PDB file of all heavy atoms in Angstrom:
ATOM      1  N   ALA W 618      88.317  80.599 104.359  1.00 74.00           N
ATOM      2  CA  ALA W 618      87.386  80.530 103.223  1.00 74.00           C
ATOM      3  C   ALA W 618      87.378  81.868 102.486  1.00 74.00           C
ATOM      4  O   ALA W 618      86.327  82.432 102.218  1.00 74.00           O
ATOM      5  CB  ALA W 618      85.995  80.164 103.718  1.00 74.00           C
ATOM      6  N   ASP W 619      88.546  82.381 102.172  1.00 79.00           N
ATOM      7  CA  ASP W 619      88.641  83.644 101.450  1.00 79.00           C
ATOM      8  C   ASP W 619      88.032  83.470 100.055  1.00 79.00           C
ATOM      9  O   ASP W 619      88.540  82.679  99.241  1.00 79.00           O
ATOM     10  CB  ASP W 619      90.115  84.053 101.339  1.00 79.00           C
ATOM     11  CG  ASP W 619      90.283  85.393 100.647  1.00 79.00           C
ATOM     12  OD1 ASP W 619      89.773  86.381 101.176  1.00 79.00           O
ATOM     13  OD2 ASP W 619      90.919  85.437  99.582  1.00 79.00           O
ATOM     14  N   PRO W 620      86.945  84.173  99.733  1.00 82.00           N
ATOM     15  CA  PRO W 620      86.222  83.920  98.467  1.00 82.00           C
ATOM     16  C   PRO W 620      87.090  84.100  97.227  1.00 82.00           C
ATOM     17  O   PRO W 620      87.060  83.271  96.318  1.00 82.00           O
ATOM     18  CB  PRO W 620      85.076  84.950  98.509  1.00 82.00           C
ATOM     19  CG  PRO W 620      84.934  85.317  99.946  1.00 82.00           C
ATOM     20  CD  PRO W 620      86.297  85.209 100.543  1.00 82.00           C
ATOM     21  N   LEU W 621      87.864  85.194  97.186  1.00 82.00           N
ATOM     22  CA  LEU W 621      88.674  85.470  95.998  1.00 82.00           C
ATOM     23  C   LEU W 621      89.689  84.363  95.754  1.00 82.00           C
ATOM     24  O   LEU W 621      89.913  83.935  94.619  1.00 82.00           O
ATOM     25  CB  LEU W 621      89.386  86.814  96.164  1.00 82.00           C
ATOM     26  CG  LEU W 621      90.241  87.279  94.979  1.00 82.00           C
ATOM     27  CD1 LEU W 621      89.376  87.458  93.747  1.00 82.00           C
ATOM     28  CD2 LEU W 621      90.968  88.582  95.318  1.00 82.00           C
ATOM     29  N   THR W 622      90.303  83.868  96.839  1.00 84.00           N
ATOM     30  CA  THR W 622      91.327  82.838  96.701  1.00 84.00           C
ATOM     31  C   THR W 622      90.735  81.484  96.345  1.00 84.00           C
ATOM     32  O   THR W 622      91.401  80.660  95.724  1.00 84.00           O
ATOM     33  CB  THR W 622      92.124  82.719  98.012  1.00 84.00           C
ATOM     34  OG1 THR W 622      92.482  84.023  98.465  1.00 84.00           O
ATOM     35  CG2 THR W 622      93.383  81.912  97.812  1.00 84.00           C
ATOM     36  N   LEU W 623      89.481  81.237  96.728  1.00 84.00           N
ATOM     37  CA  LEU W 623      88.864  79.940  96.450  1.00 84.00           C
ATOM     38  C   LEU W 623      88.220  79.890  95.061  1.00 84.00           C
ATOM     39  O   LEU W 623      88.366  78.911  94.331  1.00 84.00           O
ATOM     40  CB  LEU W 623      87.817  79.619  97.520  1.00 84.00           C
ATOM     41  CG  LEU W 623      88.349  79.369  98.939  1.00 84.00           C
ATOM     42  CD1 LEU W 623      87.196  79.058  99.886  1.00 84.00           C
ATOM     43  CD2 LEU W 623      89.364  78.241  98.963  1.00 84.00           C
ATOM     44  N   PHE W 624      87.503  80.952  94.678  1.00 87.00           N
ATOM     45  CA  PHE W 624      86.760  80.911  93.418  1.00 87.00           C
ATOM     46  C   PHE W 624      87.593  81.377  92.228  1.00 87.00           C
ATOM     47  O   PHE W 624      87.306  81.012  91.090  1.00 87.00           O
ATOM     48  CB  PHE W 624      85.483  81.741  93.542  1.00 87.00           C
ATOM     49  CG  PHE W 624      84.508  81.172  94.534  1.00 87.00           C
ATOM     50  CD1 PHE W 624      84.203  81.852  95.714  1.00 87.00           C
ATOM     51  CD2 PHE W 624      83.923  79.937  94.312  1.00 87.00           C
ATOM     52  CE1 PHE W 624      83.324  81.316  96.636  1.00 87.00           C
ATOM     53  CE2 PHE W 624      83.029  79.391  95.230  1.00 87.00           C
ATOM     54  CZ  PHE W 624      82.735  80.082  96.403  1.00 87.00           C
ATOM     55  N   GLY W 625      88.628  82.167  92.478  1.00 88.00           N
ATOM     56  CA  GLY W 625      89.516  82.582  91.395  1.00 88.00           C
ATOM     57  C   GLY W 625      90.153  81.393  90.688  1.00 88.00           C
ATOM     58  O   GLY W 625      90.094  81.286  89.451  1.00 88.00           O
ATOM     59  N   PRO W 626      90.780  80.453  91.428  1.00 89.00           N
ATOM     60  CA  PRO W 626      91.366  79.269  90.787  1.00 89.00           C
ATOM     61  C   PRO W 626      90.341  78.410  90.037  1.00 89.00           C
ATOM     62  O   PRO W 626      90.662  77.836  88.993  1.00 89.00           O
ATOM     63  CB  PRO W 626      91.977  78.494  91.963  1.00 89.00           C
ATOM     64  CG  PRO W 626      92.279  79.537  92.977  1.00 89.00           C
ATOM     65  CD  PRO W 626      91.174  80.534  92.848  1.00 89.00           C
ATOM     66  N   VAL W 627      89.103  78.323  90.575  1.00 90.00           N
ATOM     67  CA  VAL W 627      88.071  77.538  89.883  1.00 90.00           C
ATOM     68  C   VAL W 627      87.780  78.155  88.522  1.00 90.00           C
ATOM     69  O   VAL W 627      87.710  77.458  87.493  1.00 90.00           O
ATOM     70  CB  VAL W 627      86.781  77.468  90.739  1.00 90.00           C
ATOM     71  CG1 VAL W 627      85.658  76.798  89.949  1.00 90.00           C
ATOM     72  CG2 VAL W 627      87.052  76.703  92.028  1.00 90.00           C
ATOM     73  N   LEU W 628      87.613  79.471  88.497  1.00 90.00           N
ATOM     74  CA  LEU W 628      87.354  80.162  87.232  1.00 90.00           C
ATOM     75  C   LEU W 628      88.527  79.996  86.268  1.00 90.00           C
ATOM     76  O   LEU W 628      88.332  79.756  85.060  1.00 90.00           O
ATOM     77  CB  LEU W 628      87.107  81.651  87.514  1.00 90.00           C
ATOM     78  CG  LEU W 628      86.739  82.521  86.312  1.00 90.00           C
ATOM     79  CD1 LEU W 628      85.441  82.026  85.671  1.00 90.00           C
ATOM     80  CD2 LEU W 628      86.613  83.983  86.728  1.00 90.00           C
ATOM     81  N   LEU W 629      89.747  80.082  86.800  1.00 88.00           N
ATOM     82  CA  LEU W 629      90.931  79.916  85.962  1.00 88.00           C
ATOM     83  C   LEU W 629      90.983  78.513  85.363  1.00 88.00           C
ATOM     84  O   LEU W 629      91.275  78.335  84.166  1.00 88.00           O
ATOM     85  CB  LEU W 629      92.193  80.197  86.782  1.00 88.00           C
ATOM     86  CG  LEU W 629      93.540  80.045  86.063  1.00 88.00           C
ATOM     87  CD1 LEU W 629      93.624  80.996  84.879  1.00 88.00           C
ATOM     88  CD2 LEU W 629      94.693  80.290  87.032  1.00 88.00           C
ATOM     89  N   LEU W 630      90.680  77.499  86.173  1.00 88.00           N
ATOM     90  CA  LEU W 630      90.691  76.121  85.679  1.00 88.00           C
ATOM     91  C   LEU W 630      89.651  75.909  84.587  1.00 88.00           C
ATOM     92  O   LEU W 630      89.898  75.210  83.600  1.00 88.00           O
ATOM     93  CB  LEU W 630      90.436  75.156  86.843  1.00 88.00           C
ATOM     94  CG  LEU W 630      91.667  74.671  87.618  1.00 88.00           C
ATOM     95  CD1 LEU W 630      91.245  73.837  88.809  1.00 88.00           C
ATOM     96  CD2 LEU W 630      92.591  73.861  86.717  1.00 88.00           C
ATOM     97  N   LEU W 631      88.473  76.512  84.751  1.00 88.00           N
ATOM     98  CA  LEU W 631      87.435  76.363  83.730  1.00 88.00           C
ATOM     99  C   LEU W 631      87.869  77.020  82.416  1.00 88.00           C
ATOM    100  O   LEU W 631      87.614  76.481  81.331  1.00 88.00           O
ATOM    101  CB  LEU W 631      86.123  76.966  84.227  1.00 88.00           C
ATOM    102  CG  LEU W 631      85.475  76.248  85.416  1.00 88.00           C
ATOM    103  CD1 LEU W 631      84.175  76.930  85.818  1.00 88.00           C
ATOM    104  CD2 LEU W 631      85.214  74.771  85.097  1.00 88.00           C
ATOM    105  N   CYS W 632      88.526  78.175  82.525  1.00 89.00           N
ATOM    106  CA  CYS W 632      89.044  78.839  81.311  1.00 89.00           C
ATOM    107  C   CYS W 632      90.097  77.968  80.630  1.00 89.00           C
ATOM    108  O   CYS W 632      90.119  77.837  79.394  1.00 89.00           O
ATOM    109  CB  CYS W 632      89.639  80.199  81.666  1.00 89.00           C
ATOM    110  SG  CYS W 632      88.417  81.419  82.215  1.00 89.00           S
ATOM    111  N   VAL W 633      90.967  77.367  81.443  1.00 88.00           N
ATOM    112  CA  VAL W 633      91.996  76.480  80.894  1.00 88.00           C
ATOM    113  C   VAL W 633      91.353  75.258  80.244  1.00 88.00           C
ATOM    114  O   VAL W 633      91.786  74.797  79.177  1.00 88.00           O
ATOM    115  CB  VAL W 633      92.988  76.059  82.004  1.00 88.00           C
ATOM    116  CG1 VAL W 633      93.889  74.924  81.540  1.00 88.00           C
ATOM    117  CG2 VAL W 633      93.833  77.251  82.439  1.00 88.00           C
ATOM    118  N   ALA W 634      90.287  74.737  80.871  1.00 87.00           N
ATOM    119  CA  ALA W 634      89.587  73.577  80.305  1.00 87.00           C
ATOM    120  C   ALA W 634      88.992  73.919  78.946  1.00 87.00           C
ATOM    121  O   ALA W 634      89.081  73.129  77.992  1.00 87.00           O
ATOM    122  CB  ALA W 634      88.496  73.116  81.262  1.00 87.00           C
ATOM    123  N   VAL W 635      88.399  75.117  78.840  1.00 88.00           N
ATOM    124  CA  VAL W 635      87.842  75.542  77.548  1.00 88.00           C
ATOM    125  C   VAL W 635      88.948  75.652  76.504  1.00 88.00           C
ATOM    126  O   VAL W 635      88.810  75.181  75.365  1.00 88.00           O
ATOM    127  CB  VAL W 635      87.100  76.890  77.703  1.00 88.00           C
ATOM    128  CG1 VAL W 635      86.724  77.452  76.332  1.00 88.00           C
ATOM    129  CG2 VAL W 635      85.855  76.711  78.562  1.00 88.00           C
ATOM    130  N   ALA W 636      90.078  76.271  76.905  1.00 88.00           N
ATOM    131  CA  ALA W 636      91.198  76.420  75.967  1.00 88.00           C
ATOM    132  C   ALA W 636      91.731  75.065  75.533  1.00 88.00           C
ATOM    133  O   ALA W 636      92.079  74.858  74.358  1.00 88.00           O
ATOM    134  CB  ALA W 636      92.311  77.244  76.625  1.00 88.00           C
ATOM    135  N   ALA W 637      91.804  74.106  76.493  1.00 86.00           N
ATOM    136  CA  ALA W 637      92.327  72.772  76.170  1.00 86.00           C
ATOM    137  C   ALA W 637      91.381  72.005  75.246  1.00 86.00           C
ATOM    138  O   ALA W 637      91.815  71.156  74.458  1.00 86.00           O
ATOM    139  CB  ALA W 637      92.564  71.979  77.451  1.00 86.00           C
ATOM    140  N   GLY W 638      90.082  72.293  75.350  1.00 86.00           N
ATOM    141  CA  GLY W 638      89.113  71.560  74.530  1.00 86.00           C
ATOM    142  C   GLY W 638      88.822  72.191  73.183  1.00 86.00           C
ATOM    143  O   GLY W 638      88.155  71.582  72.343  1.00 86.00           O
ATOM    144  N   LEU W 639      89.307  73.421  72.943  1.00 88.00           N
ATOM    145  CA  LEU W 639      88.969  74.118  71.699  1.00 88.00           C
ATOM    146  C   LEU W 639      89.488  73.379  70.464  1.00 88.00           C
ATOM    147  O   LEU W 639      88.751  73.191  69.488  1.00 88.00           O
ATOM    148  CB  LEU W 639      89.533  75.547  71.732  1.00 88.00           C
ATOM    149  CG  LEU W 639      88.709  76.572  72.509  1.00 88.00           C
ATOM    150  CD1 LEU W 639      89.432  77.908  72.565  1.00 88.00           C
ATOM    151  CD2 LEU W 639      87.325  76.743  71.881  1.00 88.00           C
ATOM    152  N   LEU W 640      90.764  72.966  70.503  1.00 87.00           N
ATOM    153  CA  LEU W 640      91.345  72.324  69.326  1.00 87.00           C
ATOM    154  C   LEU W 640      90.689  70.970  69.037  1.00 87.00           C
ATOM    155  O   LEU W 640      90.311  70.699  67.884  1.00 87.00           O
ATOM    156  CB  LEU W 640      92.860  72.186  69.498  1.00 87.00           C
ATOM    157  CG  LEU W 640      93.626  71.681  68.270  1.00 87.00           C
ATOM    158  CD1 LEU W 640      93.369  72.587  67.063  1.00 87.00           C
ATOM    159  CD2 LEU W 640      95.131  71.624  68.570  1.00 87.00           C
ATOM    160  N   PRO W 641      90.524  70.089  70.053  1.00 86.00           N
ATOM    161  CA  PRO W 641      89.796  68.837  69.765  1.00 86.00           C
ATOM    162  C   PRO W 641      88.374  69.095  69.272  1.00 86.00           C
ATOM    163  O   PRO W 641      87.882  68.384  68.380  1.00 86.00           O
ATOM    164  CB  PRO W 641      89.791  68.116  71.122  1.00 86.00           C
ATOM    165  CG  PRO W 641      90.973  68.659  71.841  1.00 86.00           C
ATOM    166  CD  PRO W 641      91.084  70.083  71.414  1.00 86.00           C
ATOM    167  N   ALA W 642      87.695  70.119  69.833  1.00 87.00           N
ATOM    168  CA  ALA W 642      86.331  70.431  69.388  1.00 87.00           C
ATOM    169  C   ALA W 642      86.333  70.892  67.942  1.00 87.00           C
ATOM    170  O   ALA W 642      85.456  70.507  67.135  1.00 87.00           O
ATOM    171  CB  ALA W 642      85.730  71.506  70.299  1.00 87.00           C
ATOM    172  N   HIS W 643      87.317  71.715  67.599  1.00 84.00           N
ATOM    173  CA  HIS W 643      87.429  72.194  66.222  1.00 84.00           C
ATOM    174  C   HIS W 643      87.678  71.027  65.261  1.00 84.00           C
ATOM    175  O   HIS W 643      87.075  70.955  64.181  1.00 84.00           O
ATOM    176  CB  HIS W 643      88.561  73.214  66.127  1.00 84.00           C
ATOM    177  CG  HIS W 643      88.810  73.731  64.737  1.00 84.00           C
ATOM    178  ND1 HIS W 643      87.921  74.560  64.081  1.00 84.00           N
ATOM    179  CD2 HIS W 643      89.850  73.509  63.874  1.00 84.00           C
ATOM    180  CE1 HIS W 643      88.396  74.850  62.874  1.00 84.00           C
ATOM    181  NE2 HIS W 643      89.566  74.219  62.731  1.00 84.00           N
ATOM    182  N   ARG W 644      88.555  70.106  65.653  1.00 82.00           N
ATOM    183  CA  ARG W 644      88.845  68.942  64.811  1.00 82.00           C
ATOM    184  C   ARG W 644      87.602  68.075  64.636  1.00 82.00           C
ATOM    185  O   ARG W 644      87.340  67.552  63.548  1.00 82.00           O
ATOM    186  CB  ARG W 644      89.969  68.117  65.436  1.00 82.00           C
ATOM    187  CG  ARG W 644      91.344  68.748  65.281  1.00 82.00           C
ATOM    188  CD  ARG W 644      92.384  67.916  65.985  1.00 82.00           C
ATOM    189  NE  ARG W 644      93.722  68.477  65.822  1.00 82.00           N
ATOM    190  CZ  ARG W 644      94.786  68.062  66.487  1.00 82.00           C
ATOM    191  NH1 ARG W 644      94.675  67.075  67.375  1.00 82.00           N
ATOM    192  NH2 ARG W 644      95.967  68.613  66.282  1.00 82.00           N
ATOM    193  N   ALA W 645      86.834  67.922  65.721  1.00 83.00           N
ATOM    194  CA  ALA W 645      85.617  67.111  65.640  1.00 83.00           C
ATOM    195  C   ALA W 645      84.625  67.718  64.658  1.00 83.00           C
ATOM    196  O   ALA W 645      83.966  67.003  63.878  1.00 83.00           O
ATOM    197  CB  ALA W 645      84.987  66.980  67.022  1.00 83.00           C
ATOM    198  N   SER W 646      84.508  69.057  64.699  1.00 84.00           N
ATOM    199  CA  SER W 646      83.544  69.712  63.812  1.00 84.00           C
ATOM    200  C   SER W 646      83.985  69.678  62.350  1.00 84.00           C
ATOM    201  O   SER W 646      83.172  69.892  61.443  1.00 84.00           O
ATOM    202  CB  SER W 646      83.327  71.161  64.251  1.00 84.00           C
ATOM    203  OG  SER W 646      84.513  71.928  64.063  1.00 84.00           O
ATOM    204  N   ARG W 647      85.295  69.425  62.106  1.00 82.00           N
ATOM    205  CA  ARG W 647      85.819  69.430  60.740  1.00 82.00           C
ATOM    206  C   ARG W 647      85.981  68.016  60.162  1.00 82.00           C
ATOM    207  O   ARG W 647      86.588  67.853  59.096  1.00 82.00           O
ATOM    208  CB  ARG W 647      87.185  70.139  60.720  1.00 82.00           C
ATOM    209  CG  ARG W 647      87.150  71.590  61.153  1.00 82.00           C
ATOM    210  CD  ARG W 647      86.357  72.463  60.174  1.00 82.00           C
ATOM    211  NE  ARG W 647      86.982  72.468  58.871  1.00 82.00           N
ATOM    212  CZ  ARG W 647      87.934  73.325  58.496  1.00 82.00           C
ATOM    213  NH1 ARG W 647      88.359  74.248  59.352  1.00 82.00           N
ATOM    214  NH2 ARG W 647      88.451  73.271  57.282  1.00 82.00           N
TER     215      ARG W 647
END
Side-chain angles (χ1 to χ4, degrees):
D619 182 62
L621 182 61
T622 313
L623 293 180
F624 295 113
V627 173
L628 183 61
L629 179 60
L630 271 175
L631 294 180
C632 292
V633 168
V635 171
L639 279 175
L640 187 57
H643 177 70
R644 285 177 178 170
S646 67
R647 299 294 297 272

